[in-house]
Amino acid sequence: MSIDFIPLEYYTPIFFYTILLVVLFTFLELLTKGILKIKYGLLLVFAIVLYMGLRPISGFYFGDTSTYAQIFERYQNGFAITTTKDVVFHYFTMFCSTIMGVHSFFLICAFIYVFPLYLVSKKWFKQYWFYAFLLLVASFSFWAGGVNGVRNSMAGSLFLLGISRDKRLFQFLWILMAISFHKSMLLPTMGFVLAQFYNKPKHMIIFWLLCIPLSLIAGESWEVFFANLGFEDDRLSYLTQGNVNDDKFSSTGFRWDFLLYSSCAVYAGWYFIVKKGFNDKIYNWLFITYLVANAFWILVIRANFSNRFAYLSWFMMALVIVYPFLKERIIKQQSMKLGLIIVIYFAFTFFMNVILK
């Protein structure tokens, strides 16, 4: 069963217009009532799971959805797993193909993508979890992650679930699961591990800033360097292929617009940690992880499909921005400013995904 009564060309815009209404309603509530416990939050969680998970299968409108459907159908027809990469995802797909149809499979994938974001928000922000969750689903890359980069997006959510756990064992197990779903999670994992031993956000901000001139000066040398490190991952071939698929994301070279977008989270971390003295161990870990992953993307920013490398930091960007707002009273008129940030943050998403389409 899928939601096939909605014309395909309207399916994605309906999602963004719905989130627009939720964002505006939340903004008005923040202006008039302040930061409150939102009672309808779980309704939004499961509505997104159902809407995303029960989408029709279309490669034209939903990117790699059709590719994943083909993989699922191959396993359903008895084909064996022939890859040694992202093996947990493939065993998961094969198992699902034996007990359910392809639409149920995508519904489960959407649940694995969306529900951990709720768990992370609930864990860190208690009764104010809704605002963090809303900012996560209002992110520029959220919808595309769920309908196009299915495997990567699930891995990102599992990674966030891992770093939100208190016990090291559960952190390790969930992060290992994330890497097994998509090996690219090794990059934010390296950032998270670094943060455990070098918990100095100020120094890491300087490192991030240095990567900008390094990328401008060295250009494509960084792409060649990382591609030749010896990692057995086909995604690194994107670094040296050039723009063979007319990828609009990278077709204009150094993306100053997306660098500016990424810098919003860097500025937020600097503002709260350096300027306001916000001292929170978990926030420092999250911020350093973001800086490491985003710095890598800056170095390879010209690569074909560089959006896939950008996603390795962008999936946690909303949390970097909203975390201090929901943990302490730091600034004057905090509720109003939180509302403005939610509106501005989603305005970029809406502009890029609806207005420019």
Side-chain angles (χ1 to χ4, degrees), residues 103-341:
H103 294 295
S104 297
F105 167 70
F106 282 122
L107 182 63
I108 297 298
C109 290
F111 181 83
I112 294 174
Y113 178 34
V114 177
F115 197 70
L117 301 181
Y118 158 73
L119 294 178
V120 171
S121 301
K122 186 75 172 178
K123 172 70 175 178
W124 280 342
F125 310 117
K126 310 303 181 192
Q127 68 268 30
Y128 303 136
W129 67 268
F130 175 79
Y131 302 103
F133 179 81
L134 177 59
L135 210 63
L136 283 163
V137 302
S139 296
F140 166 63
S141 56
F142 173 78
W143 178 256
V147 302
N148 181 25
V150 175
R151 185 172 22 156
N152 195 14
S153 63
M154 287 192 290
S157 293
L158 292 174
F159 174 83
L160 289 176
L161 184 62
I163 68 174
S164 71
R165 301 303 93 185
D166 294 327
K167 295 184 178 180
R168 290 296 189 185
L169 175 62
F170 291 116
Q171 283 184 350
F172 172 78
L173 291 175
W174 282 115
I175 292 174
L176 180 63
M177 179 71 73
I179 295 170
S180 299
F181 260 68
H182 204 277
K183 196 181 293 185
S184 63
M185 284 299 119
L186 280 169
L187 179 60
T189 297
M190 287 189 288
F192 182 68
V193 172
L194 174 64
Q196 311 306 302
F197 300 98
Y198 195 77
N199 195 357
K200 297 183 179 181
K202 295 179 185 178
H203 294 176
M204 296 308 297
I205 292 173
I206 295 172
F207 165 73
W208 182 87
L209 289 170
L210 284 174
C211 285
I212 300 172
L214 286 174
S215 180
L216 289 169
I217 294 169
E220 296 179 358
S221 300
W222 290 107
E223 292 142 37
V224 175
F225 171 75
F226 287 118
N228 291 328
L229 284 180
F231 293 111
E232 295 182 2
D233 195 333
D234 292 338
R235 296 169 200 91
L236 289 179
S237 66
Y238 297 144
L239 298 177
T240 55
Q241 284 179 344
N243 196 21
V244 296
N245 293 304
D246 191 27
D247 174 26
K248 294 180 180 179
F249 187 97
S250 58
S251 61
T252 57
F254 197 94
R255 293 303 301 261
W256 289 102
D257 50 352
F258 286 110
L259 177 62
L260 180 62
Y261 175 68
S262 297
S263 70
C264 293
V266 180
Y267 175 79
W270 170 84
Y271 178 80
F272 288 114
I273 294 173
V274 179
K275 188 173 179 61
K276 290 296 183 180
F278 179 68
N279 186 18
D280 185 288
K281 179 178 66 175
I282 295 174
Y283 185 64
N284 288 351
W285 291 350
L286 181 68
F287 183 50
I288 290 173
T289 303
Y290 174 85
L291 288 172
V292 170
N294 195 256
F296 174 83
W297 167 68
I298 290 172
L299 293 175
V300 301
I301 198 170
R302 299 170 183 81
N304 193 35
F305 293 117
S306 73
N307 57 322
R308 301 192 180 192
F309 297 106
Y311 183 80
L312 300 179
S313 57
W314 285 354
F315 76 93
M316 66 185 89
M317 183 177 177
L319 293 173
V320 173
I321 292 173
V322 79
Y323 189 105
F325 280 96
L326 303 177
K327 299 297 283 189
E328 290 183 11
R329 288 286 177 180
I330 300 178
I331 56 179
K332 296 179 180 179
Q333 298 180 312
Q334 187 155 308
S335 297
M336 181 193 72
K337 291 176 181 177
L338 173 60
L340 285 172
I341 285 173

